[in-house]
PDB file of all heavy atoms in Angstrom:
ATOM      1  N   HIS A  23      32.151  12.488  -3.558  1.00  0.00           N
ATOM      2  CA  HIS A  23      32.308  13.930  -3.715  1.00  0.00           C
ATOM      3  C   HIS A  23      33.296  14.193  -4.841  1.00  0.00           C
ATOM      4  O   HIS A  23      34.396  13.620  -4.844  1.00  0.00           O
ATOM      5  CB  HIS A  23      32.808  14.544  -2.412  1.00  0.00           C
ATOM      6  CG  HIS A  23      32.871  16.029  -2.432  1.00  0.00           C
ATOM      7  ND1 HIS A  23      31.800  16.842  -2.719  1.00  0.00           N
ATOM      8  CD2 HIS A  23      33.911  16.876  -2.201  1.00  0.00           C
ATOM      9  CE1 HIS A  23      32.155  18.108  -2.658  1.00  0.00           C
ATOM     10  NE2 HIS A  23      33.443  18.164  -2.347  1.00  0.00           N
ATOM     11  N   LEU A  24      32.912  15.047  -5.788  1.00  0.00           N
ATOM     12  CA  LEU A  24      33.740  15.343  -6.952  1.00  0.00           C
ATOM     13  C   LEU A  24      34.084  16.830  -6.991  1.00  0.00           C
ATOM     14  O   LEU A  24      33.205  17.672  -6.773  1.00  0.00           O
ATOM     15  CB  LEU A  24      33.001  14.967  -8.242  1.00  0.00           C
ATOM     16  CG  LEU A  24      32.526  13.525  -8.359  1.00  0.00           C
ATOM     17  CD1 LEU A  24      31.665  13.339  -9.602  1.00  0.00           C
ATOM     18  CD2 LEU A  24      33.701  12.566  -8.380  1.00  0.00           C
ATOM     19  N   VAL A  25      35.326  17.126  -7.291  1.00  0.00           N
ATOM     20  CA  VAL A  25      35.759  18.517  -7.390  1.00  0.00           C
ATOM     21  C   VAL A  25      36.566  18.687  -8.664  1.00  0.00           C
ATOM     22  O   VAL A  25      37.593  18.027  -8.847  1.00  0.00           O
ATOM     23  CB  VAL A  25      36.608  18.933  -6.176  1.00  0.00           C
ATOM     24  CG1 VAL A  25      37.074  20.383  -6.344  1.00  0.00           C
ATOM     25  CG2 VAL A  25      35.822  18.772  -4.882  1.00  0.00           C
ATOM     26  N   GLU A  26      36.096  19.598  -9.532  1.00  0.00           N
ATOM     27  CA  GLU A  26      36.812  19.873 -10.781  1.00  0.00           C
ATOM     28  C   GLU A  26      37.746  21.057 -10.609  1.00  0.00           C
ATOM     29  O   GLU A  26      37.528  21.916  -9.746  1.00  0.00           O
ATOM     30  CB  GLU A  26      35.839  20.204 -11.923  1.00  0.00           C
ATOM     31  CG  GLU A  26      34.768  19.190 -12.199  1.00  0.00           C
ATOM     32  CD  GLU A  26      33.466  19.554 -11.555  1.00  0.00           C
ATOM     33  OE1 GLU A  26      33.496  20.262 -10.516  1.00  0.00           O
ATOM     34  OE2 GLU A  26      32.399  19.154 -12.069  1.00  0.00           O
ATOM     35  N   SER A  27      38.742  21.111 -11.470  1.00  0.00           N
ATOM     36  CA  SER A  27      39.636  22.263 -11.508  1.00  0.00           C
ATOM     37  C   SER A  27      40.253  22.356 -12.898  1.00  0.00           C
ATOM     38  O   SER A  27      40.222  21.395 -13.670  1.00  0.00           O
ATOM     39  CB  SER A  27      40.733  22.151 -10.457  1.00  0.00           C
ATOM     40  OG  SER A  27      41.532  21.007 -10.696  1.00  0.00           O
ATOM     41  N   GLY A  28      40.827  23.531 -13.195  1.00  0.00           N
ATOM     42  CA  GLY A  28      41.578  23.697 -14.438  1.00  0.00           C
ATOM     43  C   GLY A  28      40.929  24.586 -15.479  1.00  0.00           C
ATOM     44  O   GLY A  28      41.575  24.963 -16.455  1.00  0.00           O
ATOM     45  N   GLY A  29      39.678  24.938 -15.296  1.00  0.00           N
ATOM     46  CA  GLY A  29      39.030  25.780 -16.290  1.00  0.00           C
ATOM     47  C   GLY A  29      39.545  27.215 -16.252  1.00  0.00           C
ATOM     48  O   GLY A  29      39.859  27.743 -15.194  1.00  0.00           O
ATOM     49  N   ARG A  30      39.655  27.825 -17.441  1.00  0.00           N
ATOM     50  CA  ARG A  30      40.080  29.218 -17.529  1.00  0.00           C
ATOM     51  C   ARG A  30      39.833  29.741 -18.920  1.00  0.00           C
ATOM     52  O   ARG A  30      39.324  29.032 -19.785  1.00  0.00           O
ATOM     53  CB  ARG A  30      41.551  29.360 -17.151  1.00  0.00           C
ATOM     54  CG  ARG A  30      42.524  28.585 -18.043  1.00  0.00           C
ATOM     55  CD  ARG A  30      43.944  28.748 -17.515  1.00  0.00           C
ATOM     56  NE  ARG A  30      44.910  27.991 -18.294  1.00  0.00           N
ATOM     57  CZ  ARG A  30      45.560  28.490 -19.343  1.00  0.00           C
ATOM     58  NH1 ARG A  30      45.330  29.726 -19.732  1.00  0.00           N
ATOM     59  NH2 ARG A  30      46.446  27.752 -19.991  1.00  0.00           N
ATOM     60  N   LEU A  31      40.203  30.989 -19.151  1.00  0.00           N
ATOM     61  CA  LEU A  31      40.088  31.619 -20.455  1.00  0.00           C
ATOM     62  C   LEU A  31      41.329  31.313 -21.291  1.00  0.00           C
ATOM     63  O   LEU A  31      42.457  31.528 -20.816  1.00  0.00           O
ATOM     64  CB  LEU A  31      39.938  33.127 -20.283  1.00  0.00           C
ATOM     65  CG  LEU A  31      39.994  33.987 -21.555  1.00  0.00           C
ATOM     66  CD1 LEU A  31      38.815  33.694 -22.462  1.00  0.00           C
ATOM     67  CD2 LEU A  31      40.044  35.467 -21.173  1.00  0.00           C
ATOM     68  N   VAL A  32      41.102  30.800 -22.501  1.00  0.00           N
ATOM     69  CA  VAL A  32      42.204  30.515 -23.412  1.00  0.00           C
ATOM     70  C   VAL A  32      41.831  31.006 -24.805  1.00  0.00           C
ATOM     71  O   VAL A  32      40.678  31.299 -25.087  1.00  0.00           O
ATOM     72  CB  VAL A  32      42.539  29.009 -23.472  1.00  0.00           C
ATOM     73  CG1 VAL A  32      43.037  28.505 -22.125  1.00  0.00           C
ATOM     74  CG2 VAL A  32      41.340  28.199 -23.949  1.00  0.00           C
ATOM     75  N   GLN A  33      42.825  31.025 -25.695  1.00  0.00           N
ATOM     76  CA  GLN A  33      42.578  31.428 -27.075  1.00  0.00           C
ATOM     77  C   GLN A  33      42.306  30.213 -27.956  1.00  0.00           C
ATOM     78  O   GLN A  33      42.668  29.078 -27.605  1.00  0.00           O
ATOM     79  CB  GLN A  33      43.776  32.202 -27.607  1.00  0.00           C
ATOM     80  CG  GLN A  33      43.994  33.542 -26.929  1.00  0.00           C
ATOM     81  CD  GLN A  33      45.101  34.345 -27.570  1.00  0.00           C
ATOM     82  OE1 GLN A  33      46.031  33.787 -28.148  1.00  0.00           O
ATOM     83  NE2 GLN A  33      45.003  35.666 -27.466  1.00  0.00           N
ATOM     84  N   THR A  34      41.697  30.450 -29.085  1.00  0.00           N
ATOM     85  CA  THR A  34      41.456  29.382 -30.055  1.00  0.00           C
ATOM     86  C   THR A  34      42.763  28.676 -30.399  1.00  0.00           C
ATOM     87  O   THR A  34      43.785  29.327 -30.630  1.00  0.00           O
ATOM     88  CB  THR A  34      40.831  29.956 -31.334  1.00  0.00           C
ATOM     89  OG1 THR A  34      39.556  30.519 -31.018  1.00  0.00           O
ATOM     90  CG2 THR A  34      40.647  28.881 -32.389  1.00  0.00           C
ATOM     91  N   GLY A  35      42.693  27.354 -30.405  1.00  0.00           N
ATOM     92  CA  GLY A  35      43.860  26.555 -30.727  1.00  0.00           C
ATOM     93  C   GLY A  35      44.689  26.142 -29.531  1.00  0.00           C
ATOM     94  O   GLY A  35      45.594  25.306 -29.661  1.00  0.00           O
ATOM     95  N   ALA A  36      44.389  26.697 -28.383  1.00  0.00           N
ATOM     96  CA  ALA A  36      45.162  26.386 -27.184  1.00  0.00           C
ATOM     97  C   ALA A  36      44.791  25.013 -26.629  1.00  0.00           C
ATOM     98  O   ALA A  36      43.818  24.378 -27.054  1.00  0.00           O
ATOM     99  CB  ALA A  36      44.920  27.461 -26.125  1.00  0.00           C
ATOM    100  N   SER A  37      45.576  24.566 -25.668  1.00  0.00           N
ATOM    101  CA  SER A  37      45.315  23.312 -24.954  1.00  0.00           C
ATOM    102  C   SER A  37      45.021  23.616 -23.493  1.00  0.00           C
ATOM    103  O   SER A  37      45.502  24.613 -22.943  1.00  0.00           O
ATOM    104  CB  SER A  37      46.519  22.371 -25.053  1.00  0.00           C
ATOM    105  OG  SER A  37      46.753  21.970 -26.386  1.00  0.00           O
ATOM    106  N   LEU A  38      44.263  22.727 -22.883  1.00  0.00           N
ATOM    107  CA  LEU A  38      43.880  22.900 -21.485  1.00  0.00           C
ATOM    108  C   LEU A  38      43.599  21.527 -20.891  1.00  0.00           C
ATOM    109  O   LEU A  38      43.068  20.653 -21.581  1.00  0.00           O
ATOM    110  CB  LEU A  38      42.627  23.774 -21.400  1.00  0.00           C
ATOM    111  CG  LEU A  38      42.224  24.371 -20.062  1.00  0.00           C
ATOM    112  CD1 LEU A  38      43.316  25.299 -19.547  1.00  0.00           C
ATOM    113  CD2 LEU A  38      40.905  25.128 -20.205  1.00  0.00           C
ATOM    114  N   THR A  39      43.974  21.344 -19.634  1.00  0.00           N
ATOM    115  CA  THR A  39      43.695  20.076 -18.959  1.00  0.00           C
ATOM    116  C   THR A  39      42.778  20.316 -17.772  1.00  0.00           C
ATOM    117  O   THR A  39      43.101  21.113 -16.890  1.00  0.00           O
ATOM    118  CB  THR A  39      44.986  19.405 -18.471  1.00  0.00           C
ATOM    119  OG1 THR A  39      45.851  19.166 -19.583  1.00  0.00           O
ATOM    120  CG2 THR A  39      44.661  18.070 -17.797  1.00  0.00           C
ATOM    121  N   LEU A  40      41.658  19.644 -17.761  1.00  0.00           N
ATOM    122  CA  LEU A  40      40.748  19.679 -16.625  1.00  0.00           C
ATOM    123  C   LEU A  40      41.009  18.462 -15.746  1.00  0.00           C
ATOM    124  O   LEU A  40      41.302  17.377 -16.248  1.00  0.00           O
ATOM    125  CB  LEU A  40      39.299  19.669 -17.089  1.00  0.00           C
ATOM    126  CG  LEU A  40      38.855  20.788 -18.040  1.00  0.00           C
ATOM    127  CD1 LEU A  40      37.365  20.661 -18.326  1.00  0.00           C
ATOM    128  CD2 LEU A  40      39.180  22.144 -17.454  1.00  0.00           C
ATOM    129  N   SER A  41      40.897  18.669 -14.439  1.00  0.00           N
ATOM    130  CA  SER A  41      41.085  17.571 -13.496  1.00  0.00           C
ATOM    131  C   SER A  41      39.868  17.453 -12.599  1.00  0.00           C
ATOM    132  O   SER A  41      39.171  18.434 -12.336  1.00  0.00           O
ATOM    133  CB  SER A  41      42.327  17.814 -12.636  1.00  0.00           C
ATOM    134  OG  SER A  41      43.487  17.850 -13.436  1.00  0.00           O
ATOM    135  N   CYS A  42      39.649  16.243 -12.126  1.00  0.00           N
ATOM    136  CA  CYS A  42      38.549  15.971 -11.195  1.00  0.00           C
ATOM    137  C   CYS A  42      39.058  15.002 -10.150  1.00  0.00           C
ATOM    138  O   CYS A  42      39.590  13.948 -10.495  1.00  0.00           O
ATOM    139  CB  CYS A  42      37.361  15.376 -11.946  1.00  0.00           C
ATOM    140  SG  CYS A  42      36.000  14.818 -10.899  1.00  0.00           S
ATOM    141  N   THR A  43      38.921  15.375  -8.901  1.00  0.00           N
ATOM    142  CA  THR A  43      39.293  14.472  -7.824  1.00  0.00           C
ATOM    143  C   THR A  43      38.033  13.909  -7.183  1.00  0.00           C
ATOM    144  O   THR A  43      37.050  14.626  -6.990  1.00  0.00           O
ATOM    145  CB  THR A  43      40.155  15.171  -6.768  1.00  0.00           C
ATOM    146  OG1 THR A  43      39.423  16.295  -6.273  1.00  0.00           O
ATOM    147  CG2 THR A  43      41.445  15.659  -7.381  1.00  0.00           C
ATOM    148  N   ALA A  44      38.090  12.632  -6.846  1.00  0.00           N
ATOM    149  CA  ALA A  44      36.956  11.949  -6.237  1.00  0.00           C
ATOM    150  C   ALA A  44      37.304  11.512  -4.831  1.00  0.00           C
ATOM    151  O   ALA A  44      38.407  11.042  -4.573  1.00  0.00           O
ATOM    152  CB  ALA A  44      36.571  10.735  -7.075  1.00  0.00           C
ATOM    153  N   SER A  45      36.370  11.663  -3.925  1.00  0.00           N
ATOM    154  CA  SER A  45      36.559  11.208  -2.551  1.00  0.00           C
ATOM    155  C   SER A  45      35.267  10.576  -2.058  1.00  0.00           C
ATOM    156  O   SER A  45      34.211  10.750  -2.652  1.00  0.00           O
ATOM    157  CB  SER A  45      36.969  12.375  -1.653  1.00  0.00           C
ATOM    158  OG  SER A  45      35.967  13.373  -1.644  1.00  0.00           O
ATOM    159  N   GLY A  46      35.382   9.832  -0.972  1.00  0.00           N
ATOM    160  CA  GLY A  46      34.219   9.146  -0.423  1.00  0.00           C
ATOM    161  C   GLY A  46      34.166   7.696  -0.867  1.00  0.00           C
ATOM    162  O   GLY A  46      35.201   7.046  -1.007  1.00  0.00           O
TER     163      GLY A  46
END
């Protein structure tokens, strides 16, 4: 089972980190 998080609205040039947790 995979669950992502971290997505959002940002401006050009910004940084963002997406995470995914795995279980099972």
Side-chain angles (χ1 to χ4, degrees):
H23 186 56
L24 304 173
V25 178
E26 305 98 333
S27 62
R30 61 183 178 91
L31 172 65
V32 296
Q33 293 186 332
T34 297
S37 296
L38 195 61
T39 301
L40 303 183
S41 297
C42 173
T43 57
S45 61

